Amino acid sequence: MASNTNEVAVDMTPFFVLYKNGTINRLRPADNAPLSDDPQAPVRSKDVVVHPETGVSVRIFLPKITDPKQKIPVVIYIHGGAFCMGSARSSTFHNFISSVVEKANFIAVSVDYRLAPENPFDTTYDDSWAAFQWIISHANGKGPDSWLNDHADFAKLFIGGESAGANIANDVVVRAGVTDLDSKIKILGLYLVHPYFGIENDQLYKALNPTRNGGCFEDPRVNPLIDPRLKSMACKKALFFVAEKDPLKEGAMNYYEGLKKSEWNGEIEVMETKGEGHCFHFFKPKSEKAAELVNKLVDFLKQE
């Protein structure tokens, strides 16, 4: 908890206030969703520590299995929160991904990376990459988790997230493109919900990267169009979700247009929601527009 005497670097009330001394005041209490291990539940869930040294963990979601021998697609989900908030245990993210798992009938793995500013900005990316490597270690059916060994079809793998999490997910897929992955692993799609790809005069980026030279657009993770690895990005398709009133829309569309013109030869699509702002589907989960977003995502994930 930060002292009131500290000088404010970034005020993102009602979510958090970041101070110039590197501390943060998160203004909302943690609201964690319980796990479910009822075999008759539509979706079961469990937490698994994937890296004991750092505490990085994942929350795994398994739909009701009717055929024990059936293999189903895998979706990796990386939550948002401006690199500073949230976890895989958060009710908002848990409820969202659980509902999508029930509709689409796939296994989801939600990544719980360490947050800034208590940890360096780079940690959010590196933790998510470490979680990805742990997840795909199950492709041969001999990993440490039985759910992934028994039910995951790694030839149908999707990766994505929203906001900052979408940016991190994009970095994972870019890294995967220049990594020698097991031939059993096929990343079919990348989904980016209201993604962060930089904004002009980005004070949050500057506050979280006080020793880095240059702004957000000089960072190839935030601005992948300057990353020479982009042409090898591992996924075959990418789906962008943008909202008309989202301040992050411009950066997302700049990346969308640049990706279309790049040497990456995958398929790309965008869905815009009119009249709504950033991550509106979390704040209005029962709205018609939120349902349209979820249905579009489910359709994308169910493709062959």
Side-chain angles (χ1 to χ4, degrees), residues 267-294:
E267 299 176 23
I268 187 169
E269 184 181 358
V270 63
M271 174 184 175
E272 179 175 1
T273 303
K274 298 293 186 181
E276 297 291 353
H278 188 64
C279 289
F280 72 90
H281 55 293
F282 289 150
F283 306 109
K284 305 174 184 178
K286 297 186 182 300
S287 69
E288 181 178 341
K289 291 179 180 178
E292 290 172 355
L293 184 153
V294 170

Side-chain angles (χ1 to χ4, degrees), residues 71-75 136 138-140 148 151-158 182-189 234 236 301 303-304:
K71 297 283 189 176
I72 55 179
V74 184
V75 175
I136 64 173
H138 297 78
N140 61 4
L148 293 173
H151 303 296
D153 182 356
F154 283 94
K156 297 179 180 179
L157 178 61
F158 296 83
D182 188 300
S183 60
K184 299 183 183 70
I185 300 165
K186 305 294 183 185
I187 302 175
L188 298 187
K236 296 180 178 181
L301 299 174
Q303 67 184 304
E304 293 296 328

Side-chain angles (χ1 to χ4, degrees), residues 58-249:
V58 296
R59 177 163 286 197
I60 307 176
F61 298 80
L62 182 71
K64 191 172 182 179
I65 299 296
T66 56
D67 179 359
K69 296 182 180 180
Q70 181 187 15
K71 297 283 189 176
I72 55 179
V74 184
V75 175
I76 298 173
Y77 172 78
I78 304 178
H79 72 81
F83 305 95
C84 298
M85 293 180 59
S87 80
R89 301 180 300 277
S90 299
S91 292
T92 297
F93 305 130
H94 175 101
N95 294 339
F96 174 73
I97 201 65
S98 184
S99 67
V100 177
V101 166
E102 184 176 0
K103 290 177 182 291
N105 193 47
F106 57 74
I107 297 177
V109 187
S110 181
V111 177
D112 204 15
Y113 54 86
R114 288 172 291 172
L115 301 175
E118 293 90 343
N119 301 282
F121 181 72
D122 294 354
T123 301
T124 62
Y125 296 94
D126 293 339
D127 284 356
S128 299
W129 177 248
F132 170 75
Q133 292 180 305
W134 180 87
I135 294 164
I136 64 173
S137 74
H138 297 78
N140 61 4
K142 298 179 181 179
D145 183 76
S146 60
W147 285 3
L148 293 173
N149 285 334
D150 295 342
H151 303 296
D153 182 356
F154 283 94
K156 297 179 180 179
L157 178 61
F158 296 83
I159 305 176
E162 82 287 317
S163 196
N167 178 268
I168 297 170
N170 189 86
D171 181 68
V172 169
V173 178
V174 169
R175 287 198 199 192
V178 292
T179 301
D180 186 18
L181 300 180
D182 188 300
S183 60
K184 299 183 183 70
I185 300 165
K186 305 294 183 185
I187 302 175
L188 298 187
L190 169 68
Y191 61 96
L192 305 172
V193 183
H194 305 164
Y196 163 76
F197 287 108
I199 58 174
E200 293 295 337
N201 193 29
D202 192 334
Q203 295 302 310
L204 178 61
Y205 179 87
K206 291 178 181 178
L208 295 178
N209 294 275
T211 62
R212 189 185 299 273
N213 293 325
C216 66
F217 293 116
E218 296 171 66
D219 185 333
R221 298 165 303 187
V222 179
N223 180 16
L225 296 177
I226 65 171
D227 192 333
R229 303 173 300 174
L230 183 64
K231 63 184 178 182
S232 302
M233 190 164 67
C235 60
K236 296 180 178 181
K237 298 181 179 181
L239 173 60
F240 286 64
F241 293 87
V242 298
E244 182 183 20
K245 296 182 179 180
D246 185 357
L248 300 187
K249 177 188 170 184

